Amino acid sequence: MAHKFVIEQNKSGEYVAKFKYNSETIFWTEGYASKAAAKNAIESILKNGPGAAVEEG
């Protein structure tokens, strides 16, 4: 699969959910205190993302 979510710890020890495509990071979340919170962020993106509006500036 060319795209995936990855949960990693940053230098501050926080958990960050990253979306990667062909090993390139496309976007990432804020840092969370727990891995469970990072997983919740991924679930929210998967649930709400398909119906999200697109704004152009």
Side-chain angles (χ1 to χ4, degrees), residues 8-19:
E8 300 176 344
Q9 276 188 291
N10 62 19
K11 292 179 182 178
S12 300
E14 298 172 316
Y15 293 93
V16 179
K18 296 180 179 181
F19 182 75

Side-chain angles (χ1 to χ4, degrees), residues 23-57:
S23 301
E24 182 179 345
T25 300
I26 305 300
F27 70 86
W28 59 92
T29 65
E30 63 184 284
Y32 295 97
S34 68
K35 190 180 282 188
K39 286 182 181 180
N40 285 340
I42 292 170
E43 291 300 322
S44 178
I45 293 166
L46 292 172
K47 178 182 174 187
N48 299 304
V54 176
E55 291 186 18
E56 296 184 34

Side-chain angles (χ1 to χ4, degrees), residues 1-6 18-27:
M1 189 174 285
H3 53 280
K4 62 184 174 182
F5 284 98
V6 178
K18 296 180 179 181
F19 182 75
K20 294 188 175 191
Y21 180 78
N22 289 336
S23 301
E24 182 179 345
T25 300
I26 305 300
F27 70 86

